[in-house]
Amino acid sequence: MDYFNFKDGNLYAEDVKVEDLAKKYGTPLYIYSKATLERHYRAFEHALNRIPHLVCYSVKSNSNLAVLNLMAKLGAGFDVVSEGELRRVIAAGGDPKKTVFSGVGKTDDELEFALVNGIRCINAESSAEVEAIKRVAKRLGLKAPVALRINPDVDARTLPAISTGLKNNKFGIATDEAYELYLEMNKDPNLNVQGIDCHIGSQMTSSVPILEAADVIIPFYEKLLKAGIKIGHIDLGGGLGVTYDNELPPSPDDFFDGICERFKKLDCELYIEPGRAMVANAGILAAKVIYKKRNGEKRFLVTDGAMNDLIRPALYNAHMTIVNAKVRPQDEENCCDVVGPICESDDFLGKDRILAAEQGDILAVRGAGAYGSSMSSNYNSRRLSCELLVDGDKVSVIRRRQKFEEMWELENIPE
Ligand SMILES: *Cc1c(COP(=O)(O)O)cnc(C)c1O
């Protein structure tokens, strides 16, 4: 459910016409709906209200300060994967004490920054990382709050690139090794064993994989309990999917129902780290049709939005729905690829779409709120796009369009 709807043949972001926004702020343009973000956050809170919990919004899915600030105001914690993300959380008014730190390659500097700022928990992913945490905590003279990211060896049944819970990918620690490590960590004066963590993948469209993961993690929790290690929280990560095309992911209520039933019997808090399901459908990318062209049988709409703005189609061959912001009559004649101006054949936003459009029309790529702007780059020396947050009929620029000179501000020509 989102608040991007057609009224009288025109696409609106809440109460504002998308075409008007494109005209005023230029394209490519990210537009987010505040009401949608709030609705999604509340849906997660509602799904977990039977049990003690913390919703840690996954910052990497959309790290704009305004989005983080809204999440913080709603009461969210955060899941970060770098010092930069933690600094963003702090800059946006978020609380490090409600923030968990994930990622396979945390450096000593990053660990120090997190510990000094009172991070809620560090989700360690290897015994080597545990050594680093001990070393840094000892130097700082404090006890580091830690969890281990368990690799439960379950298949999230999603795209290979975003599947992270199988035993031969780089994430997490196998349960046998983790058990030994917990016993060691529990004795260490500079570690405070807090939780068990896992994150098996993204864009899950069924609750089966997460239940399979829980059914590995919960017995592991009980095994630790028997060994005298009381765990305060289990973090089951993110991964709930969204509808990009015709997927039918469960609602947060349905996704977490079986999980809540299991947790009701435990004296243990549940943390979750949703990213995509929180923001994907709360954002669109508006792009203008620059040219229509035809090569042989193939028709193309060339837009000013490209893979540097939104890389999911090029990177994962991900399908994203594209609509014309102004309804036009459709027929098979309009079958086309929607492509950007970048010098790569993979620079496309959509392939083989029935999409009638004229030069100058505004297209909207739906579901672009997650892993859209946060994955954008300056490739082809294209500026980072403008981002707007719409609240009813109120529009805020939450990132202005980058200036050309800002793209080479860090560069230097040697004497
Ligand atoms: C990316 C990621 C998430 C968020 O995943 P979504 O599929 O966007 O919900 C959560 N936790 C960790 C550790 C991640 O790497």
Side-chain angles (χ1 to χ4, degrees):
M1 220 341 270
D2 63 48
Y3 294 88
F4 295 95
N5 293 306
F6 281 95
K7 282 174 235 168
D8 304 325
N10 288 292
L11 182 64
Y12 278 73
E14 300 197 10
D15 301 332
V16 197
K17 211 165 145 182
V18 167
E19 238 185 357
D20 293 346
L21 292 174
K23 220 171 267 160
K24 178 155 182 202
Y25 297 96
T27 46
L29 178 68
Y30 276 100
I31 305 170
Y32 308 116
S33 151
K34 187 177 175 200
T36 311
L37 290 167
E38 289 172 341
R39 185 191 171 96
H40 290 174
Y41 179 77
R42 296 209 169 98
F44 279 101
E45 279 293 337
H46 185 264
L48 304 183
N49 66 10
R50 279 177 274 171
I51 55 167
H53 67 272
L54 181 64
V55 176
C56 296
Y57 167 65
S58 171
V59 171
K60 75 176 190 285
S61 59
N62 186 318
S63 53
N64 187 290
L65 293 192
V67 173
L68 301 183
N69 175 261
L70 176 62
M71 288 293 152
K73 280 191 186 138
L74 290 167
F78 297 92
D79 169 47
V80 299
V81 293
S82 70
E83 178 176 338
E85 285 192 351
L86 180 53
R87 284 180 182 270
R88 276 185 178 273
V89 166
I90 295 168
D95 187 355
K97 290 181 184 61
K98 289 167 89 173
T99 302
V100 298
F101 191 3
S102 305
V104 288
K106 305 176 196 82
T107 64
D108 280 20
D109 286 347
E110 289 184 308
L111 291 169
E112 174 166 346
F113 184 79
L115 290 171
V116 166
N117 283 280
I119 195 88
R120 173 79 153 237
C121 190
I122 297 172
N123 295 331
E125 301 218 16
S126 61
S127 54
E129 183 185 340
V130 172
E131 287 307 310
I133 298 169
K134 279 191 216 168
R135 185 170 66 233
V136 174
K138 188 167 180 195
R139 175 157 51 76
L140 298 172
L142 45 78
K143 265 172 110 75
V146 286
L148 291 185
R149 176 166 176 181
I150 304 291
N151 187 326
D153 194 21
V154 304
D155 188 350
R157 302 173 185 82
T158 178
L159 293 167
I162 54 178
S163 198
T164 55
L166 280 166
K167 69 169 181 281
N168 44 14
N169 65 41
K170 72 177 177 185
F171 298 100
I173 306 172
T175 42
D176 294 349
E177 189 194 342
Y179 181 72
E180 298 302 321
L181 211 45
Y182 270 103
L183 298 181
E184 273 178 45
M185 295 196 308
N186 198 42
K187 287 185 277 189
D188 196 283
N190 293 108
L191 297 179
N192 189 352
V193 174
Q194 300 249 312
I196 306 172
D197 173 50
C198 98
H199 169 73
I200 56 171
S202 203
Q203 185 56 10
M204 286 186 271
T205 50
S206 143
S207 58
V208 172
I210 190 108
L211 286 171
E212 285 176 3
D215 290 338
V216 172
I217 303 293
I218 292 171
F220 186 76
Y221 160 88
E222 283 161 348
K223 190 173 166 190
L224 290 179
L225 207 54
K226 280 205 192 90
I229 303 175
K230 174 71 185 85
I231 296 294
H233 75 261
I234 292 175
D235 183 338
L236 290 179
L240 176 57
V242 300
T243 303
Y244 286 114
D245 188 9
N246 47 22
E247 306 93 329
L248 289 170
S251 66
D253 273 349
D254 291 340
F255 189 66
F256 289 111
D257 186 50
I259 298 290
C260 288
E261 284 313 299
R262 285 161 173 75
F263 271 74
K264 266 185 2 197
K265 300 179 198 119
L266 307 179
D267 174 28
C268 184
E269 212 177 340
L270 172 67
Y271 292 6
I272 58 166
E273 304 167 349
R276 191 186 308 276
M278 196 79 86
V279 289
N281 293 327
I284 60 169
L285 175 67
K288 189 160 71 189
V289 177
I290 310 290
Y291 300 114
K292 291 173 76 166
K293 70 178 277 185
R294 192 179 174 140
N295 275 347
E297 286 302 292
K298 194 94 204 171
R299 293 160 187 272
F300 296 93
L301 294 176
V302 183
T303 75
D304 62 2
M307 67 189 281
N308 75 298
D309 305 301
L310 181 61
I311 202 174
R312 296 190 68 258
L315 187 62
Y316 308 128
N317 206 18
H319 178 99
M320 305 190 72
T321 297
I322 306 175
V323 296
N324 193 324
K326 180 165 49 210
V327 172
R328 290 187 181 277
Q330 305 286 352
D331 62 58
E332 294 295 323
E333 274 294 280
N334 303 127
C335 188
C336 62
D337 285 3
V338 181
V339 302
I342 285 184
C343 307
E344 302 262 352
S345 288
D346 265 344
D347 178 27
F348 70 95
L349 297 174
K351 284 190 172 160
D352 299 320
R353 303 303 173 86
I354 309 290
L355 182 61
E358 295 304 325
Q359 207 166 299
D361 279 4
I362 301 301
L363 305 184
V365 185
R366 306 192 78 137
Y371 307 105
S373 177
S374 65
M375 290 179 95
S376 62
S377 76
N378 284 129
Y379 189 40
N380 274 215
S381 287
R382 290 168 48 85
R383 295 174 292 169
L384 296 179
S385 58
C386 175
E387 296 181 285
L388 305 177
L389 183 65
V390 174
D391 175 14
D393 60 4
K394 213 178 103 223
V395 179
S396 308
V397 176
I398 60 171
R399 185 176 74 188
R400 66 164 169 78
R401 193 173 302 281
Q402 194 175 27
K403 295 188 176 121
F404 285 109
E405 308 75 48
E406 285 172 335
M407 283 194 286
W408 51 82
E409 196 166 72
L410 306 177
E411 297 167 28
N412 179 47
I413 300 171
E415 291 291 296

